Amino acid sequence: MLRLSRARKAPRDLALRARMVELSWAGEYVPAIADELRCSQKTVRRWLHRFNRLGLDGLEDLGGQGRKRRITEGERARIIGLVKQPAPGRLTMQADGELAAEDESGPPELDP
């Protein structure tokens, strides 16, 4: 635990949480730990409880954080495929130098 709390290559959050546990083992109370590490007492208590319940794994972040995807991978791939296609009605230069649209049913667009 001491090595983890003082490691330079460990993720900052993980090292901070390990330091909380180290200070707790040294006999420090939650308010003193919170003051020293400049975080709230609630934060210290949460991580100490998780460590007591789960061990070192309790100091890791839980997966699945953040906003969930609103579309599936299949829908995402389909949208990307559509974006890569030329827009209907877009004028392109032909081999003979004339401008023509591949699909003339769409609204007219000029190449930028």
Side-chain angles (χ1 to χ4, degrees):
M1 182 61 64
L2 183 61
R3 250 180 40 199
L4 179 60
S5 69
R6 300 199 176 151
R8 293 176 186 233
K9 299 283 184 178
R12 183 181 171 276
D13 291 339
L14 187 60
L16 180 72
R17 296 166 192 161
R19 182 81 174 128
M20 290 176 191
V21 173
E22 179 188 359
L23 291 171
S24 176
W25 283 355
E28 295 287 334
Y29 292 105
V30 169
I33 296 170
D35 287 342
E36 182 173 331
L37 300 178
R38 295 191 176 121
C39 61
S40 72
Q41 293 180 28
K42 183 179 177 182
T43 299
V44 174
R45 283 189 186 93
R46 179 180 63 221
W47 290 111
L48 290 177
H49 287 296
R50 278 192 52 191
F51 175 78
N52 289 335
R53 195 172 64 247
L54 302 170
L56 279 176
D57 291 337
L59 299 181
E60 297 281 343
D61 286 324
L62 295 176
Q65 303 294 332
R67 183 177 177 178
K68 304 295 182 230
R69 288 189 173 218
R70 294 170 60 184
I71 61 173
T72 65
E73 276 300 312
E75 292 169 330
R76 182 176 181 273
R78 187 168 159 253
I79 290 169
I80 290 171
L82 287 172
V83 169
K84 288 183 177 180
Q85 292 178 357
R90 174 159 289 211
L91 297 176
T92 55
M93 188 68 68
Q94 302 297 314
D96 61 357
E98 292 289 318
L99 290 175
E102 288 184 29
D103 179 10
E104 294 184 9
S105 64
E109 294 183 24
L110 293 175
D111 276 336

